[in-house]
Every structure is written in structure tokens, then in C-alpha cells.
Amino acid sequence: MLLKDRVAIVTGGATGIGRAIATKMGEGGASIVVADMNADAAQKTAAELTASGIKAAAVATDVTDKAATDRMARTALDRFGRIDILVNNAGIAGAPGWNQRSESTEDDWVKTYQVNVLGTVNAANSVIPHMKAERHGKIVNLSSIAGREGRPSLPHYSASKAAVISYTQSLANELAKFNINVNAICPGLLWTPMWEQVGGRYARDNAAYKGLSPRQVFDAMIAERIPNGREQTPEDIGDAAVFLASEDARNITGQALNVDGGFFMR
Ligand SMILES: NC(=O)c1ccc[n+]([C@@H]2O[C@H](COP(=O)([O-])OP(=O)(O)OC[C@H]3O[C@@H](n4cnc5c(N)ncnc54)[C@H](O)[C@@H]3O)[C@@H](O)[C@H]2O)c1
């Protein structure tokens, strides 16, 4: 119970990695606010968490809208009385249709930065005044191994995730004196709807993967790049988030933790 009696907000917490983070944090003893722009999915996830004995609430939140992230913070305070943890998980890989295109458009750059970068800043700014007043807090930002090294595919996404690492370091410096820790997680290769689309794009655009199914591209990349030969799971990311949000990580701040089976060793 690393997070006993803590209150955690998870943006994009309705599905995928965010849902696993919310579940792991709830199992670790935290009360959970599921903040997602998909209001129905957020309600469903919060109801499932509640049914499994975790205190949970849902709030419809588009992180690109500061008024919405302020409402998100207010919901946590109204329902659970405090905010100890913010997980900035909401993220996108591009503007609608990104997986059909071989080149990034201006819309891909703008939409991706609005959600992945500005959305992270908005949610952080909505909880920081409360955390400062309490002189206590943990912020965990979802970056990606794509943010570790610019790659030809999805440059707008790689750049946005590199910006998340840089912002994590700036904020960690600024907030350390308030006893607020800020760290990032860089997930590796997870078989999610996002990766299924990435795999399809690789098979179309990259000669090395021509003719493969998205799953075959995924398996080939694991064989080529991951020393331990294992794909990562949303639960792996949840475990890392629980640790970084716990007091066991009180002397860790400004870091970006690769959860990638050794894909990147820096
Ligand atoms: N899937 C991967 O392989 C992978 C790898 C590295 C990093 N990541 C990062 O992990 C995070 C989660 O990825 P995922 O695969 O679970 O994605 P997903 O698409 O399955 O889920 C993202 C969730 O965020 C929500 N969301 C999207 N835009 C939002 C907005 N503007 N405001 C609020 N909520 C919004 C969606 O409704 C959805 O519930 C993202 O930041 C992603 O970039 C994913």
C-alpha cells in the first residue's frame, strides 16, 4: 500500500495505459480521479474501480482547456479533500487521420503539442497551487522512448515527448523547494491501439517492414531492439508510476525513467 490515503488524478485515465495507472494506484491505496475527455469511458472506468473497492470519481476533462483542468482539480478537492498526485497521461500521436499520412502536417504538430505539451502544462498549473500550499506533491508525466531520440516516423510526436522531458526537468527544479517531485516515464513498446496504428504506418512506409501486419512489425521491433525480448504492458507503466508517486521516490526528481526492457540505456 505505497499510496495509502493519497489522492491521485490521472488524465486520460479512462483507457489504455492511464486506466492501468489508475488501477495500480487504486490498488496501492489511493483514491482516484479519472479525468478524460471521453466522459462515458471515464464514468465506466471509475465505476469499475469503485466496484473493485477503490474510491474513484470521474470528471470529463479536455486537458487542452485550462478551465477544464481547473474543474478537474476542484473535483478532486470536493470529492476527496486533497490532491497528492497528478499523472499527466493524456496523449495523442497526431491529428485525426495521422496514421493514414506519411508526412506530418501542421495540424499534426499543433494538435499533438496542444494535448501532449500544453495539456500537461495546464493540468500541472491547476494542481500546483494546492500542492505548494500543502508543501507536498508528486507529478508524473508520460513521455515516451520516442522522446529520447528523434526518429523519422512521427517527428511531431517525438518532439512533443522530448518537450515533456524538458518540461519535467524545468518543473522539478522550480518545485523542489516546495517538496514537490516531478518525474517522467518513457514507456517502450506496448501493444495498444496506438501501436497497432504505428505498426500499420511502418509497414506501409518502411522498406524493412513491407508486407508485414502491424503485430508482425511490433514483434520484429521487439526482437531487434529489446534486449530482454519482452514487450511492455500498461501494468508495467502503472507499477513505475506508483513508485514515482510514492514516498519511496522522495529523493528522485527531474528524471525520465525508461520502462522499455533496455531499448534505450540512457
Ligand atoms: N501506447 C504506447 O505504446 C505508448 C508508448 C509510449 C508512450 N505512450 C504514452 O502513454 C500515454 C497513454 O497512451 P495510450 O496508448 O494508453 O493511449 P490511448 O489512446 O489508449 O489513451 C489515451 C487516453 O487519453 C484520452 N485523451 C486524449 N486526448 C485527451 C485530451 N485532450 N484530454 C483528456 N483526455 C484525452 C483518451 O480519451 C484516452 O482515454 C500517452 O501519453 C502516450 O503518448 C504510449
Side-chain angles (χ1 to χ4, degrees):
M1 298 294 272
L2 282 179
L3 304 181
K4 191 166 171 349
D5 299 331
R6 299 299 195 207
V7 175
I9 299 173
V10 183
T11 72
T15 62
I17 293 172
R19 188 182 187 287
I21 293 171
T23 305
K24 288 279 184 178
M25 289 193 163
E27 289 168 356
S31 301
I32 306 294
V33 175
V34 179
D36 202 293
M37 69 185 297
N38 185 338
D40 291 344
Q43 287 290 354
K44 184 166 177 281
T45 295
E48 286 164 0
L49 292 175
T50 305
S52 68
I54 294 166
K55 286 189 197 134
V59 56
T61 311
D62 180 344
V63 295
T64 66
D65 175 5
K66 177 66 165 45
T69 59
D70 285 346
R71 279 196 301 278
M72 168 191 87
R74 178 47 51 203
T75 300
L77 294 171
D78 289 348
R79 288 293 301 271
F80 301 119
R82 49 194 289 156
I83 302 168
D84 302 293
I85 299 159
L86 168 68
V87 183
N88 276 309
N89 165 81
I92 59 171
W98 63 268
N99 58 324
Q100 315 295 331
R101 293 187 279 278
S102 300
E103 304 284 332
S104 302
T105 62
E106 185 175 337
D107 209 23
D108 286 323
W109 282 93
V110 170
K111 293 270 174 5
T112 304
Y113 265 68
Q114 278 173 343
V115 179
N116 298 3
V117 185
L118 195 57
T120 297
V121 174
N122 283 340
N125 283 341
S126 293
V127 304
I128 285 169
H130 174 77
M131 289 182 172
K132 275 185 175 172
E134 297 290 320
R135 297 193 83 78
H136 163 84
K138 301 275 190 285
I139 298 175
V140 180
N141 298 325
L142 268 288
S143 177
S144 168
I145 52 167
R148 288 291 194 190
E149 183 181 272
R151 302 182 69 80
S153 186
L154 302 177
H156 57 276
Y157 179 74
S158 292
S160 77
K161 291 300 185 179
V164 168
I165 295 174
S166 175
Y167 174 63
T168 297
Q169 294 165 346
S170 299
L171 207 55
N173 259 307
E174 186 187 322
L175 298 179
K177 59 180 173 294
F178 299 100
N179 190 33
I180 300 169
N181 299 55
V182 189
N183 290 290
I185 296 175
C186 298
L189 297 179
L190 289 87
W191 184 243
T192 56
M194 186 187 278
W195 222 99
E196 193 167 355
Q197 296 186 324
V198 171
R201 204 170 186 268
Y202 270 59
R204 192 189 61 224
D205 295 344
N206 188 325
Y209 302 118
K210 271 270 177 297
L212 299 186
S213 70
R215 179 70 211 197
Q216 286 170 325
V217 174
F218 182 77
D219 289 338
M221 283 196 70
I222 288 171
E224 285 160 21
R225 295 299 301 262
I226 300 196
N228 74 13
R230 282 198 296 266
E231 66 190 85
Q232 290 78 60
T233 65
E235 289 70 28
D236 293 333
I237 312 307
D239 286 332
V242 167
F243 169 65
L244 289 174
S246 76
E247 283 313 296
D248 285 1
R250 66 190 171 280
N251 280 325
I252 300 174
T253 198
Q255 303 304 307
L257 177 65
N258 298 336
V259 182
D260 67 351
F263 191 126
F264 279 98
M265 298 204 181
R266 58 183 159 78

